[in-house]
């Protein structure tokens, strides 16, 4: 399975302006390339497998996998710059995930146990699943319920899931420029506050998120050096949302 680690390690450049390549490539690729223990390699392998299995399961949850869903799944696979063999493995996992007897809870439970309290990995996993769902078009109720089951199994709250979706939709509209042009409601979702929040509450939410995703602080908490770019991207997304709200409200 060594090729999986090498393939994941090369994902970073694929979606440098988006959540998939940056998060999956850095979070998992770095773990594989720099791993000193079997557990880190096991996480990388399981993350790779379940990423595409769950993607297939979510796509099939409404009874059929549409051409758009297949197209988006393949775009994600090829965008990760996997080799032909790696793409074939991803397709096999996607196909396996479509099976009606796919043990979703069991596989997610194994992944949750492996990643433990690594919230960054859980959120990365959800970003990939949302990228696939949102990229294929309207996300129906069945898919939303399935995505919530995935999030719940990995310890990601509904509020966090909404924030992740807001960020993904920003990139779907065209990368950083899309974030700048995002709706005001989306900007509030990125910050995790409501339009009824006071100016002070908006500022507090902004500072809290910027503090959580500050590259130096994350590295001090154990974030690999190679993840600095991911942290910087996250702060850019949060800053873009804050500036949107600040400009509309006119506060400093």
């Amino acid at each position: 399975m060594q090729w999986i680690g090498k393939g994941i390690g090369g994902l970073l450049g694929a979606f440098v302006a988006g959540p998939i390549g940056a998060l999956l490539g850095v979070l998992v690729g770095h773990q594989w390339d720099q791993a000193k223990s079997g557990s880190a390699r096991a996480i990388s392998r399981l993350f790779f497998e379940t990423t595409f299995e769950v993607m297939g399961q979510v796509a099939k949850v409404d009874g059929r996998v549409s051409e758009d869903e297949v197209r988006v799944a393949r775009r994600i696979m090829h965008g990760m710059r996997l080799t032909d063999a790696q793409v074939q493995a991803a397709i096999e996992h996607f196909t396996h995930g479509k099976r009606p007897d796919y043990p979703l809870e069991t596989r997610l439970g194994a992944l949750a146990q492996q990643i433990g309290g690594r919230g960054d990995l859980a959120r990365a996993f959800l970003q990939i699943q949302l990228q696939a769902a949102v990229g294929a078009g309207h996300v129906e109720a069945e898919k939303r319920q399935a995505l919530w089951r995935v999030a719940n199994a990995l310890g990601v709250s509904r509020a966090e899931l909404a924030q992740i979706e807001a960020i993904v939709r920003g990139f779907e509209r065209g990368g950083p420029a899309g974030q700048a042009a995002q709706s005001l409601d989306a900007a509030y979702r990125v910050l995790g506050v409501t339009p009824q929040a006071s100016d002070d509450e908006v500022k507090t939410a902004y500072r809290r998120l910027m503090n959580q995703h500050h590259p130096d602080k994350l590295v001090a908490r154990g974030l690999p050096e190679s993840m600095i770019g991911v942290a910087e991207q996250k702060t850019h997304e949060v800053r873009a949302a804050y500036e949107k709200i600040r400009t509309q409200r006119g506060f400093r």
Side-chain angles (χ1 to χ4, degrees):
M1 300 295 287
Q2 184 177 7
W3 58 266
I4 290 179
K6 291 182 178 179
I8 294 176
L11 302 184
L12 176 59
F15 285 92
V16 67
I20 296 177
L23 285 164
L24 184 58
V26 176
L27 285 167
V28 182
H30 180 87
Q31 278 194 335
W32 186 279
D33 295 334
Q34 303 297 325
K36 300 298 183 183
S37 69
S39 61
R41 290 192 293 273
I43 291 172
S44 296
R45 182 167 56 251
L46 185 59
F47 195 105
F48 179 90
E49 294 171 355
T50 53
T51 287
F52 296 106
E53 291 171 4
V54 172
M55 192 181 297
Q57 175 73 187
V58 173
K60 189 66 180 292
V61 73
D62 58 355
R64 64 179 293 271
V65 178
S66 69
E67 292 183 3
D68 284 339
E69 287 168 326
V70 172
R71 172 183 54 79
V72 171
R74 286 185 175 273
R75 185 188 75 190
I76 290 172
M77 294 173 191
H78 288 285
M80 289 176 177
R81 297 180 183 175
L82 304 178
T83 66
D84 290 343
Q86 293 162 358
V87 169
Q88 185 57 45
I91 292 172
E92 290 173 1
H93 286 295
F94 182 89
T95 301
H96 177 63
K98 293 190 300 180
R99 293 171 51 176
D101 61 345
Y102 175 71
L104 179 65
E105 280 74 19
T106 299
R107 291 291 276 169
L108 287 174
L111 181 62
Q113 184 176 15
Q114 285 278 13
I115 66 178
R118 293 292 301 272
D120 288 337
L121 278 173
R123 286 185 288 272
F125 191 90
L126 263 297
Q127 283 195 341
I128 297 165
Q129 303 307 323
L130 277 164
Q131 183 77 18
V134 170
H138 178 67
V139 183
E140 299 88 352
E142 296 95 334
K143 286 186 173 55
R144 287 199 174 278
Q145 183 59 31
L147 288 166
W148 167 237
R149 287 169 62 194
V150 175
N152 187 52
L154 297 180
V156 175
S157 69
R158 286 188 183 273
E160 288 178 306
L161 189 63
Q163 284 182 283
I164 295 169
E165 182 174 352
I167 291 169
V168 167
R169 289 189 180 279
F171 280 108
E172 281 293 307
R173 285 191 292 269
Q179 279 286 21
Q182 67 185 334
S183 72
L184 193 60
D185 284 344
Y188 281 113
R189 287 195 295 272
V190 168
L191 294 189
V193 297
T194 68
Q196 291 72 43
S198 67
D199 290 353
D200 284 343
E201 288 172 330
V202 170
K203 293 175 183 178
T204 298
Y206 168 69
R207 294 187 185 112
R208 173 175 51 80
L209 288 171
M210 292 295 286
N211 181 63
Q212 288 177 356
H213 300 292
H214 190 285
D216 292 342
K217 291 185 178 180
L218 288 176
V219 169
R221 295 169 191 157
L223 188 76
E225 288 286 345
S226 60
M227 277 187 60
I228 289 178
V230 175
E232 290 173 344
Q233 181 61 58
K234 181 69 71 175
T235 58
H236 172 82
E237 295 156 7
V238 171
R239 187 178 295 112
Y242 177 73
E243 289 300 322
K244 181 84 173 181
I245 297 170
R246 187 184 67 81
T247 299
Q248 188 272 338
R249 291 193 177 199
F251 62 73
R252 293 183 177 275

